[in-house]
Amino acid sequence: MIKLISASERHEAQVGDWLQSHYLFSFADYYDPANVQFGPLRVFNHDVVAGHNGFPSHPHAEMEVVTIVLDGELTHKDSIGNEVTLKAGDVQRITAGTGVSHAEANDTDNTAELLQLWFLPNKRGLAPSYENMSLDFLDVHDKLVPLVTGQKVLDNVPFLNSNSTVYFGQVTQGQEIDFKTFKIRKTLVYVLSGSLLVNNVEVDRHDQVRLEQKDVVSLHGAANATFILVDVPATEANY
């Protein structure tokens, strides 16, 4: 099965004059019972935060929260003592576990662009924890780069308490990447720029495609393209 969801079908949310968000799944005031999650992937938001603004401190529990900075920078503070400035090319993972509060602020004059993904964990009752890495993924060519993973075959990326992996990808026009997977898993591809043919389905900027029961996901550059690929189990314990 392959399902194309166009950019116009994302839910757009404007918060004052400081935050522009697009939700790929039900979130906040947007609820669609047919679009709540994809495997353990519960939230996928594409945010642009104005300068000298940000998300005030707020609580989470029993969730893996992943932040991917595409442009600009954010300062992270949390209730377990972390204070870190994240820049473009950085990836952050918060295990909310039994409970944590955090805030993200753009203290610069420029906008910050980020993706935030939430995964339901494969273990409950975990102690809150935090990890971030500078992965410099934005300049790769014709490859997939893992950004965060719970699959232990991948090293040197933040660890996720979910049997899932998030990749950043780039493919040049006319080139192709084959992502090998299994029919017991699901794949979501979200195009950040350019245009892809994903298993021969055209996927343009800010479109997404969701695939199930595939052995291979073929990513062909219809134009130079950057994208996020999320590989998740079809089912996972404890959610």
Side-chain angles (χ1 to χ4, degrees):
M1 187 190 89
I2 181 165
K3 180 180 180 181
L4 174 67
I5 301 173
S6 69
S8 63
E9 294 177 80
R10 301 176 303 167
H11 180 80
E12 183 174 0
Q14 184 74 41
V15 181
D17 60 358
W18 70 272
L19 175 65
Q20 182 184 44
S21 289
H22 288 90
Y23 306 153
L24 275 62
F25 295 94
S26 295
F27 185 79
D29 61 344
Y30 162 58
Y31 178 70
D32 177 355
N35 188 32
V36 173
Q37 66 191 77
F38 188 68
L41 177 61
R42 176 61 188 84
V43 170
F44 191 135
N45 294 348
H46 190 169
D47 298 332
V48 177
V49 181
H52 303 288
N53 282 282
F55 302 93
S57 184
H58 55 284
H60 292 289
E62 302 301 352
M63 197 69 68
E64 299 288 295
V65 180
V66 176
T67 302
I68 301 165
V69 183
L70 301 175
D71 190 41
E73 61 181 58
L74 290 170
T75 297
H76 164 90
K77 297 180 182 179
D78 63 42
S79 59
I80 53 176
N82 297 293
E83 182 171 346
V84 180
T85 297
L86 305 167
K87 298 184 179 181
D90 289 359
V91 179
Q92 168 186 276
R93 185 269 305 155
I94 302 169
T95 293
T98 54
V100 67
S101 295
H102 73 112
E104 260 72 40
N106 177 5
D107 295 325
T108 74
D109 295 332
N110 302 313
T111 59
E113 182 181 6
L114 63 136
L115 305 173
Q116 192 165 96
L117 290 75
W118 298 7
F119 294 83
L120 294 160
N122 54 19
K123 298 177 183 177
R124 291 185 171 271
L126 294 168
S129 64
Y130 174 89
E131 188 176 11
N132 75 277
M133 289 188 186
S134 180
L135 298 178
D136 297 325
F137 58 85
L138 292 166
D139 293 326
V140 302
H141 295 282
D142 297 317
K143 64 187 299 186
L144 292 171
V145 177
L147 302 182
V148 59
T149 186
Q151 296 173 281
K152 295 181 180 180
V153 294
L154 299 171
D155 298 321
N156 302 316
V157 295
F159 179 76
L160 188 67
N161 289 290
S162 170
N163 186 23
S164 305
T165 302
V166 180
Y167 298 85
F168 176 87
Q170 191 281 340
V171 62
T172 305
Q173 184 175 12
Q175 299 299 307
E176 186 166 300
I177 300 170
D178 284 339
F179 176 72
K180 295 181 180 179
T181 182
F182 301 94
K183 290 183 179 178
I184 58 172
R185 299 186 67 82
K186 301 182 179 185
T187 308
L188 182 149
V189 178
Y190 177 65
V191 175
L192 296 169
S193 67
S195 180
L196 289 173
L197 291 176
V198 180
N199 288 28
N200 295 316
V201 173
E202 186 171 356
V203 189
D204 296 320
R205 181 174 179 263
H206 294 162
D207 292 348
Q208 59 177 293
V209 64
R210 302 179 190 181
L211 303 99
E212 299 183 42
Q213 297 192 349
K214 301 293 182 184
D215 294 314
V216 177
V217 177
S218 172
L219 305 150
H220 180 86
N224 292 349
T226 59
F227 57 93
I228 295 292
L229 185 150
V230 187
D231 169 43
V232 297
T235 60
E236 188 164 63
N238 297 323
Y239 74 83

